[in-house]
């Protein structure tokens, strides 16, 4: 996304979820997932720092795009993003997407299969008090 009107529409009509480093605005509009980024000079006065943040977020969006719900996503960086590593920025972005409901939670591999009522042994009957 590049047009100011698109950004304004997402800010006005979308849902906002925030963390100390990033704020995510998401508008479900039925179109393919697309990303807009806002990283101001207040966040980082150097272009190198702002571009690092944008590059990291774009890459995470690209990797997650197939699993994302349709809509327009705008990420606004906040000052603490400057001191956050690329790996942490990506993790924060993923967490925001999951909190918004735009990205399903990651599958956690377990060590045991899910319990199934057919596989459970029936509980043995206990002797009644005084009968045994």
């Amino acid at each position: 996304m590049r047009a100011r009107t698109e950004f304004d529409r997402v800010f006005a009509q979308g849902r906002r979820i925030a963390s100390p480093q990033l704020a995510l605005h998401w508008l479900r509009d039925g179109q393919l997932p697309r990303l807009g980024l806002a990283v101001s000079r207040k966040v980082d006065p150097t272009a190198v720092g702002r571009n690092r943040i944008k590059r990291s977020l774009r890459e995470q969006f690209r990797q997650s795009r197939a699993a994302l719900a349709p809509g327009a996503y705008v990420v606004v960086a906040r000052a603490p993003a400057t001191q956050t590593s690329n790996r942490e920025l990506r993790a924060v972005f993923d967490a925001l997407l999951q909190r918004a409901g735009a990205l399903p939670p990651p599958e956690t591999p377990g060590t045991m299969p899910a319990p199934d009522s057919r596989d459970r042994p029936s509980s043995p009957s206990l002797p009644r008090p005084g009968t045994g």
Side-chain angles (χ1 to χ4, degrees), residues 47-116:
V48 172
R50 292 190 305 272
N51 289 336
R52 177 192 67 86
I53 293 168
K54 290 188 281 190
R55 199 170 34 252
S56 180
L57 295 172
R58 269 192 212 109
E59 177 61 19
Q60 188 60 32
F61 184 79
R62 187 188 66 77
Q63 290 177 2
S64 304
R65 191 173 194 175
L68 285 173
Y73 298 85
V74 175
V75 179
V76 180
R78 295 176 166 181
T82 304
Q83 285 80 35
T84 307
S85 71
N86 288 345
R87 180 179 294 174
E88 291 170 332
L89 272 177
R90 291 176 182 169
V92 167
F93 185 38
D94 263 354
L96 288 176
L97 289 169
Q98 289 170 7
R99 279 181 42 206
L103 190 64
E107 291 185 21
T108 55
T111 57
M112 296 177 62
D116 187 12

